[in-house]
Each structure stands twice: as C-alpha cells, then as structure tokens.
Amino acid sequence: MHETGIVRDLVRHLETVARDAGAEAVSGVQVWLGALSQFSPEHFREHFDDEARGTIAEGAALDILTSDDPGDPDALHVMIRSVDLEVSETED
C-alpha cells in the first residue's frame, strides 16, 4: 500500500504541473528510483499505469533511472527528473 501512495502522489504532482502549464497531456516522465525505494522499474511501471489511468498522465512514456547506491542521501526516494508535456499552440 505504501508504494501505491507514493505513485499516487507522483501522478497528482504531474497533474498539477500539467494543469499549471496549460498542457493537454503528460507525454513523458523521467523518474529516478533510489536504491532503497522498494521499487524495481517493472514494479514502478505497474503502479504508475494503475494510478495514471483516467488522468492527464495516462499513456505517458516512462524513462526510469535506478540507483544501486544505498548510501545516496536520496536512496529512499522516488524523484521526478523531467516531465514532457503536450501543450497546444494558441493562435494570436
């Protein structure tokens, strides 16, 4: 259940970023998984797909980076490194 909450919060953050930018969709996300984050890339992807279903982040391409350094200060964390948004061009 802890993992679900982490990914749910991440998807909510993506929705906020997209909404604030006036985006129509989140097309890609790069995330970093700390060595002690309790996630494998496959496990994270499963949770992300479930939590993003029906949101502006559904279908976003995931680029998952992993750390194998348990001594890293962020080893327990999952962090968004970058977000790609689909923003429609407006006519002036």
Side-chain angles (χ1 to χ4, degrees), residues 32-39 66-71 74-77:
W32 180 87
L33 306 177
L36 303 176
S37 69
Q38 305 297 319
F39 284 107
T66 58
S67 172
D68 61 358
D69 180 6
D74 293 314
L76 291 168
H77 300 283

Side-chain angles (χ1 to χ4, degrees), residues 10-50:
L10 184 140
V11 169
R12 285 182 184 150
H13 183 71
L14 292 173
E15 290 180 301
T16 299
V17 167
R19 185 175 45 254
D20 290 350
E24 297 173 354
V26 176
S27 58
V29 183
Q30 184 182 74
V31 295
W32 180 87
L33 306 177
L36 303 176
S37 69
Q38 305 297 319
F39 284 107
S40 67
E42 298 79 18
H43 187 206
F44 181 86
R45 188 175 306 277
E46 289 174 17
H47 279 279
F48 184 86
D49 288 346
D50 287 343

Side-chain angles (χ1 to χ4, degrees), residues 75-90:
L76 291 168
H77 300 283
V78 173
M79 298 189 300
I80 298 171
R81 293 290 171 123
S82 66
V83 179
D84 298 322
L85 302 173
E86 292 180 18
V87 180
S88 39
E89 298 291 324
T90 57

